[in-house]
Amino acid sequence: MESRLPVSDIAAPERAPEGRARIDWAWSEMPVLRRLYERFQREAPLAGLRIGGCLHITTETANLARVLVAGGAQVALCASNPLSTQDDVAAALVRDFGVRVYARRGEGTDTYYRHIHQVIAHHPQITLDDGADLISELHKRHPGQLNEILGSTEETTTGVIRLRAMARDGALRVPVVAVNDALTKHLFDNRYGTGQSALDGILRATNILLAGRCFTVAGYGWVGRGIARRARGLGAKVIVGEVEPLRALEAAMDGFEVMPLRQAAARSDFMVTATGDKHVIDAPHFAVMKDGCVLANAGHFDVEINIPALRQLAVDCSRPRRHVEEFVLRDGRRIRLLAEGRLVNLVAAEGHPAAVMDMSFANQAQVVAWLAREGRRLPHRVHPVPDDIDRAVARLKLDTLGLEIDQLTPEQARYLQSWREGT
Ligand code: ADE
């Protein structure tokens, strides 16, 4: 089967030099991964292993693949979103790093799934997911291959939710590590990574001034928190919509206005979704939106804004700029949708900056090495990242930033363990 597979399916092999230069630029911002690279080269913890990844094909992912290859793995990658692939990076991965890549920016749904199946045809022993599409296709269509799998990793909140649902239904047949839940992942990547890159995507797509504008964020998880803060930093008046009372309270005490999205829609110049749920912005919101309102999504799937409903309501639609679709409603109001409702940070910008992906992917690389050692012994459920890996990533990152921290004295350490000492 393997010999009949194309080695890759990429859009622009001639763009490898451009991709290589950008991968190396990102590498210079990824000191933790660089250290792991040296260790993996020395110790070859992945010797002979086949790894399949369904990840955004970006410069940062290329550097993760570079580390896995240094550890001795054969790596095959497909995209975890049809619009996030950086074609120059895909070309450089194939040319310079010996990675098999099946990903073309703008691929349709059929090609997207064909590419996932091409990665599956490599018979991966460890899988890496960002959204759980690879592992769920393996369960649905190739259950016979599941016993070849030592373990899987999941990079994003939405994927972890899907996998926990599979585990609850007794359907999960491999151990999965929720890399998303590592503290050195979501506290930084989801908050500062998406915070910066979602704003970057919105600004690149629209070039509209944010200062003084009303900017609504739907969802106050780590991603929503990051976006709300960065929008405020650019001078926007920020509203938060949230269904979970504790988070809503936190948003209020963080100084944001909190209200139902229907009210927010009537006031907003920008509305950005970061909830992980579907149809968060829907017909009732379109009905009251201001003329010119910009809509963007920062959640994993393109379901948060009800785009089919928007298309139905529209009497006209045009593309005034790259990544902007403008819908004109019957009463003449214009609603501007960015990046087809897909992840605005990866479609209209370049995804999270390398310095945060450094930590996310350092977790990934070390979890992969751990699964290579321990996977066979692990029960088929969703596991946390081992605490020592999470802490090691934090220590390494501090070290590479040149930051030192204090140590507890033995007396202080004992005090924290004891219940005998009091006032
Ligand atoms: N997810 C968000 N940003 C990313 C990036 N730069 N690379 C890979 N996955 C990402």
Side-chain angles (χ1 to χ4, degrees), residues 56 58 60-61 130 345-346 350-352 357 361:
H56 299 294
T58 64
E60 292 74 25
T61 300
D130 187 326
N345 59 332
L346 280 140
E350 293 169 62
H352 302 353
M357 294 313 292
F361 284 164

Side-chain angles (χ1 to χ4, degrees), residues 45-47 49 126 150-151 366-376:
L46 311 176
L49 269 183
I126 293 183
L150 295 169
Q366 296 192 84
V367 166
V368 167
W370 182 69
L371 285 172
R373 285 196 313 274
E374 305 292 335
R376 281 267 172 254

